[in-house]
Amino acid sequence: MLNGLKPLAATALCLLGMSVFAETATAAQWVSSGRTAYFKQSPFYSAREHTCTSGSAPTEGFPGSCPNDAFSGWTANYNAADLLASTQFSACYFDSQKLGSACYGLAYAINGYASAGGLPATCTVGTRAVVVSTRIETIEIQNHELDVDNDMSGNEYICQ
């Protein structure tokens, strides 16, 4: 009788161990690394600003001089996500003379490979990703004049 319980106990212990692992794997989530890049432009008034932050003071340039630790892949991920978000953005019809006309793009990249949309719900601990969103919109400024507001932002996330 005891010999029959040993395999059953071993199986139960194995399943318990697998359930703990599965719980840990599903508990992983995307957390901001603090590394961001932001660009805003208004062509009619040449209002431009950009920052690139790695959790400390902003650095010069956009986005290439953002610190690119060998392990982070910031530049490859940013460039891949930016290209796909810009492609989505460019495929949209935008009318700079029509108030409220707007186009958007959203993409993320992991290991230099981009996908459309926001970050996936599941991730592997330690993975880094960059999400880039773009927006252009015709807005009214003053005296019923129209202007074009253009924003692009990149945010890096780490799966923890």
Side-chain angles (χ1 to χ4, degrees):
M1 181 86 175
L2 288 176
N3 286 339
L5 288 177
K6 285 182 183 178
L8 183 60
T11 302
L13 187 58
C14 184
L15 289 173
L16 178 63
M18 287 173 52
S19 70
V20 169
F21 175 77
E23 185 176 319
T24 303
T26 59
Q29 62 183 352
W30 294 105
V31 177
S32 176
S33 73
R35 187 173 294 181
T36 64
Y38 179 74
F39 174 78
K40 181 177 179 76
Q41 181 178 18
S42 177
F44 296 113
Y45 291 102
S46 298
R48 296 175 63 126
E49 60 183 81
H50 56 77
T51 59
C52 179
T53 321
S54 61
S56 58
T59 58
E60 294 295 320
F62 181 84
S65 63
C66 233
N68 185 31
D69 318 327
F71 65 87
S72 77
W74 162 263
T75 302
N77 285 336
Y78 178 88
N79 289 341
D82 181 44
L83 180 63
L84 183 55
S86 296
T87 300
Q88 296 168 352
F89 174 81
S90 298
C92 172
Y93 175 73
F94 175 70
D95 184 352
S96 64
Q97 300 303 309
K98 182 179 178 192
L99 183 63
S101 180
C103 291
Y104 305 91
L106 178 64
Y108 70 91
I110 299 172
N111 295 324
Y113 295 98
S115 298
L119 289 171
T122 59
C123 59
T124 304
V125 173
T127 301
R128 290 178 177 255
V130 173
V131 176
V132 171
S133 63
T134 59
R135 177 188 67 85
I136 190 168
E137 182 177 4
T138 304
I139 59 171
E140 184 176 350
I141 46 175
Q142 59 186 359
N143 300 326
H144 304 288
E145 292 180 36
L146 299 179
D147 197 357
V148 176
D149 194 31
N150 186 1
D151 298 321
M152 177 177 35
S153 67
N155 296 293
E156 183 183 58
Y157 296 90
I158 302 171
C159 182
Q160 294 182 348

